[in-house]
Amino acid sequence: MAEHLKQQMVAWRRHLHANPELATFEVSTSDFVAARLSELGIPFQRNVGGHGIVASLTRAGSSRSIGLRADMDALPIQEQTGLEHASVIDGVMHACGHDGHTASLLGAASLLAGDTDWSGTVRLIFQPAEERGIGAKAMIEEGFFENFPVDMLFAYHNWPGLPAGKIAAVAGPVMAAGARIAIRITGKAAHAAMPHQSRDALAAAGYLLTTLQSIAGRAVDPLQAAVVSITTLETGAVLNQVPEAVKLGGLMRTLNVATRDRVEAEIERICNGIAMAMGVTIDLTIQRTVLPTVNAPYAAEIAARAAEAIGAPVTKELEPSLASEDFSYFLSRKPGALVWIGNGEDLAGRELHSPGYDFNDEILPVAASWLAEVAKQALRANPDLS
Ligand SMILES: [Zn+2]
Ligand SMILES: [Zn+2]
């Protein structure tokens, strides 16, 4: 890769890092991406699902089409890195490395634009609002697959804890399905000294909280991952009254849809059972946020081959993460893979989503080269396998 492009990507990345924007507000970020695409002479469409941009590069000779996706949004975190390129926006920070994803996809655009050794269409997808899990969905609802057909899709996430520049291309589930849980228990208030006149919502909450813990241990196959975490509890503030109502909140995570459905059904069953046992009413809302991210095995294989082709160290084995990723919505419609590219050591205080986080500029060339190469390899792949 030309030294000039490496330096350009670092400058792009640092500009984006210094000027982060929250999910659904990626105005200047998408302006920046549009300006770079115009310089490269690559046609694009703006405002796809909010501030999303889809650019299309076509070379005659093949009707196949591959999507490469980068997310553009930042997080509501006050940066504490003290770096020269630290965020200039109060309370907003690129703490998940989406600045690096965007810069390296622009780098891949530059590589592909200057490379005649491929044919077909590559769609460069600059996605908004990943951190709220709504950007991919919005792009799809606004007709992404109808207006920009693709046969396969690829993306990466930078991954602290994996050596810098090492690529993990894993088949099957790699990131979790998520849902928010909201529970309202309504009983009957009474004087705390006359509890027989109450229907104790707080006692019901206690039984509910402990019984929900049994789901992961007793209702789910021990070889399947499941998390049910109740994290908030709101109730009365009066010492001498049995409270009328309790609100509980939390989240769940699973690595596949079957386990998700099982966990949801168990939560509902336990709520109904406790309600009956304790004579209270329990209203349960489970709001699904993100689907599980599942890599098609042959797509993971193409992703690994592309990593080998660019000379990057590669592994096909890495434990899935129970974090979630809305690239899953793209993968629920078309096959593809999300790989992890090592960001280097996972230092305390500099984890993803922490105020000390910074994307490692040294991995930009690997990331851009892998994105360009995986598109070329996937365009060449036997369509009968997909
Ligand atoms: Zn994130
Ligand atoms: Zn992220």
Side-chain angles (χ1 to χ4, degrees), residues 75 96 98 130-131 157 353:
L75 285 156
C96 204
H98 298 182
E130 194 285 325
E131 293 293 357
H157 206 293
H353 287 211

Side-chain angles (χ1 to χ4, degrees), residues 73-351:
D73 57 326
L75 285 156
I77 292 175
Q78 180 66 44
E79 180 157 354
Q80 289 171 18
T81 61
L83 291 164
E84 212 171 296
H85 59 270
S87 171
V88 298
I89 314 288
D90 227 25
V92 184
M93 177 192 176
H94 270 295
C96 204
H98 298 182
D99 47 348
H101 300 169
T102 301
S104 52
L105 186 55
L106 286 169
S110 174
L111 289 173
L112 288 164
D115 182 349
T116 52
D117 181 30
W118 59 277
S119 55
T121 297
V122 180
R123 307 217 188 263
L124 308 155
I125 306 158
F126 295 89
Q127 186 211 298
E130 194 285 325
E131 293 293 357
R132 286 178 53 196
I134 56 176
K137 221 171 162 183
M139 291 186 91
I140 293 166
E141 277 165 8
E142 284 191 17
F144 171 82
F145 284 104
E146 293 73 28
N147 300 328
F148 310 100
V150 289
D151 299 301
M152 293 174 84
L153 292 134
F154 294 88
Y156 82 94
H157 206 293
N158 71 98
W159 212 240
L162 191 64
K166 184 167 182 172
I167 298 182
V170 180
V174 289
M175 293 184 87
R180 296 190 192 103
I181 304 165
I183 298 169
R184 187 184 164 86
I185 307 174
T186 312
K188 182 177 172 295
H191 194 297
M194 302 168 197
H196 60 289
Q197 293 174 350
S198 76
R199 286 293 180 187
D200 190 342
L202 187 53
Y207 289 118
L208 184 60
L209 190 54
T210 47
T211 313
L212 290 173
Q213 305 302 315
S214 71
I215 294 175
R218 283 294 171 270
V220 172
D221 178 338
L223 294 176
Q224 300 295 327
V227 172
V228 179
S229 288
I230 298 299
T231 48
T232 65
L233 187 149
E234 290 169 49
T235 185
V238 186
L239 282 180
N240 59 3
Q241 187 201 43
V242 175
E244 185 197 2
V246 179
K247 278 203 262 181
L248 299 164
L251 60 77
M252 54 178 276
R253 291 277 198 270
T254 58
L255 282 174
N256 61 56
V257 167
T259 309
R260 176 196 70 193
D261 293 350
R262 181 73 202 262
V263 170
E264 286 180 359
E266 284 296 307
I267 294 173
E268 200 176 322
R269 190 180 62 78
I270 289 168
C271 284
N272 290 338
I274 301 273
M276 186 179 284
M278 299 296 290
V280 296
T281 306
I282 300 184
D283 298 306
L284 167 70
T285 312
I286 296 177
Q287 187 196 357
R288 292 178 187 170
T289 48
V290 173
L291 297 169
T293 305
V294 183
N295 289 345
Y298 67 93
E301 193 51 47
I302 293 171
R305 237 187 292 143
E308 280 158 16
I310 62 160
V314 54
T315 177
K316 295 177 186 176
E317 308 281 333
L318 197 69
E319 288 299 323
S321 164
L322 286 177
S324 52
E325 167 58 73
D326 82 348
F327 184 58
S328 53
Y329 285 100
F330 286 113
L331 293 189
S332 72
R333 298 281 295 271
K334 282 285 174 181
L338 175 121
V339 307
W340 289 298
I341 301 185
N343 199 61
E345 216 182 327
D346 196 7
L347 300 165
R350 294 197 209 160
E351 301 89 354

Side-chain angles (χ1 to χ4, degrees), residues 24-94:
T24 75
F25 296 95
E26 306 88 346
V27 181
S28 67
T29 306
S30 60
D31 283 346
F32 181 85
V33 168
R36 301 294 80 76
L37 291 168
S38 296
E39 285 166 8
L40 291 166
I42 302 173
F44 57 89
Q45 189 174 319
R46 297 194 66 167
N47 304 318
V48 182
H51 296 294
I53 296 181
V54 182
S56 302
L57 258 171
T58 299
R59 290 199 189 282
S62 164
S63 59
R64 278 179 59 82
S65 177
I66 303 299
L68 300 175
R69 173 276 209 174
D71 37 15
M72 301 191 287
D73 57 326
L75 285 156
I77 292 175
Q78 180 66 44
E79 180 157 354
Q80 289 171 18
T81 61
L83 291 164
E84 212 171 296
H85 59 270
S87 171
V88 298
I89 314 288
D90 227 25
V92 184
M93 177 192 176
H94 270 295

